[in-house]
Amino acid sequence: MAALNEPLSYIGITPFQIISALIILVAGYVVSKILISLFKESIGKTKLPPLVMEFLARFLSILLYIIVIIVALGAVGISVSPLILGLSAVVGLILGFGLQDTLTNLAAGVWIAALRPIDIDEVVEVSGQVGKVSGIGLMSTVLMTPDNRIITIPNKLVWGSIIVNYTRMPTRRVDVDIGIAYGTDLDRAIKLAMNLLKNHPKVLDDPEPGVVITALADSSINLQLRAWTRTEDYWEVRGDLTKGIYELYTREGIEIPFPQLDVHVREMPK
């Protein structure tokens, strides 16, 4: 035993300490594997997503391996206090930067849940993205687009941007723009458009539909058909009116002009 306690040259570590450290490393590795396996088995009975369970298992394994290495270094006489302090500082720095956005998203999620500017199954425009709200979590909001894409937006961007809610109100106004040629009988064009609006079964009588002149443009007189309908009928009514006004004006001989530019060339002097 005296030979085992004689320090190795230059480093001052005895063979006994090296053997102890190796035993700690092997035993610690085996125990860590057992604990990780038990942990995976226990969280596998929960309803956590697989990605979350894998992340937690990896985090636990890294933590256990670090503990085993620190204990092994202590067994060979190396002071681990500076190492622990250094690791603590690094972990604190990482958590500080990482949790900054996390806490911001968490606070924004609380405000969204409390004030409800958006709700599940509502169609909204948030941070430049349009879709149906399929989920509102503590950290992010999930939108489903009409072409079945899933968009995940951090809550801080949701709360910090302009929110347009398209389906919160029970009714919406449908606006359809169309241009007619200069020289057209405006009264007749407006009357025909009004008849189209009033004869549509899903256009509401109250508020009353209307047709207004919006601009005297370069190539046309621009009209806008305005009709109120139930929110769930918005796109159907919009499509019907767009198709209907084109067919009606074509049938009645009302010209819908293309953009055009008249160029007048003066006679050049001889």
Side-chain angles (χ1 to χ4, degrees), residues 124-131 143 145 149 151 153 157-158 161-164 166:
V124 299
E125 180 179 350
V126 176
S127 193
Q129 303 294 330
V130 178
L143 302 182
T145 65
R149 291 179 297 141
I151 301 176
I153 307 175
L157 297 181
V158 176
S161 66
I162 296 175
I163 299 173
V164 180
Y166 292 107

Side-chain angles (χ1 to χ4, degrees), residues 113-187:
L115 300 181
R116 288 291 178 184
I118 61 176
D119 212 336
I120 300 297
D121 291 334
E122 290 184 336
V123 178
V124 299
E125 180 179 350
V126 176
S127 193
Q129 303 294 330
V130 178
K132 179 184 288 187
V133 181
S134 61
I136 303 174
L138 290 176
M139 303 301 297
S140 62
T141 297
V142 180
L143 302 182
M144 178 74 72
T145 65
D147 57 349
N148 232 25
R149 291 179 297 141
I150 295 177
I151 301 176
T152 303
I153 307 175
N155 282 336
K156 68 174 184 178
L157 297 181
V158 176
W159 187 249
S161 66
I162 296 175
I163 299 173
V164 180
N165 195 317
Y166 292 107
T167 56
R168 175 65 60 89
M169 303 302 292
T171 59
R172 283 186 64 187
R173 195 181 77 183
V174 179
D175 295 338
V176 176
D177 296 308
I178 191 167
I180 58 176
Y182 281 98
T184 303
D185 186 344
L186 280 176
D187 292 336

Side-chain angles (χ1 to χ4, degrees), residues 37-49 53:
S37 178
L38 293 175
F39 178 75
K40 286 183 176 180
E41 184 179 348
S42 63
I43 64 174
K45 300 176 182 178
T46 65
K47 295 182 179 180
L48 290 175
M53 291 190 291

Side-chain angles (χ1 to χ4, degrees), residues 218-219 259-267:
D218 294 335
S219 305
Q260 58 187 1
L261 178 65
D262 293 334
V263 179
H264 303 275
V265 179
R266 293 182 180 180
E267 184 180 355

Side-chain angles (χ1 to χ4, degrees), residues 46-64:
T46 65
K47 295 182 179 180
L48 290 175
L51 185 63
V52 176
M53 291 190 291
E54 183 65 22
F55 171 78
L56 292 176
R58 288 186 178 183
F59 179 79
L60 178 62
S61 63
I62 292 173
L63 180 63
L64 291 175

Side-chain angles (χ1 to χ4, degrees), residues 23 32 66 69 129 134 220 237:
I23 294 174
S32 297
I66 290 176
I69 292 173
Q129 303 294 330
S134 61
S220 64
V237 172

